[in-house]
Amino acid sequence: MENRKLPTKKMVTEAHIQKAKELYELCKNGSAPTIEVKTQMLNLYNDMYGTTYRNTTNCSSCLNVVFNAIKKHALRSSIKKK
């Protein structure tokens, strides 16, 4: 069996941060106003972190992780350059 490691670097770009800001503005209260917004948040999270959450999930724990990550990126000004 082949051992696969998850990527150690997050793949967060300025475009991701901009999209996170837009989505966070729509759901500051912690609840997505529409299914489309929830789907966009899950797709963005999957893209940024290389995860495979289903974009139809209603798992409150999963959605909380996604919301908190989107919030974290939305509230920071820009990515730190190394």
Side-chain angles (χ1 to χ4, degrees), residues 17-67:
I17 292 173
Q18 185 60 39
K19 185 67 174 174
K21 288 179 181 185
E22 293 169 13
L23 291 172
Y24 180 69
E25 285 299 317
L26 296 172
C27 49
K28 279 185 176 179
N29 65 352
S31 177
T34 64
I35 293 171
E36 290 79 19
V37 172
K38 180 185 85 166
T39 301
Q40 288 177 9
M41 289 179 68
L42 285 159
N43 289 337
L44 177 62
Y45 183 85
N46 284 337
D47 190 36
M48 286 191 301
Y49 291 98
T51 58
T52 57
Y53 286 122
R54 289 180 301 133
N55 61 13
T56 57
T57 189
N58 284 318
C59 168
S60 61
S61 178
C62 300
L63 293 172
N64 189 41
V65 168
V66 170
F67 176 75

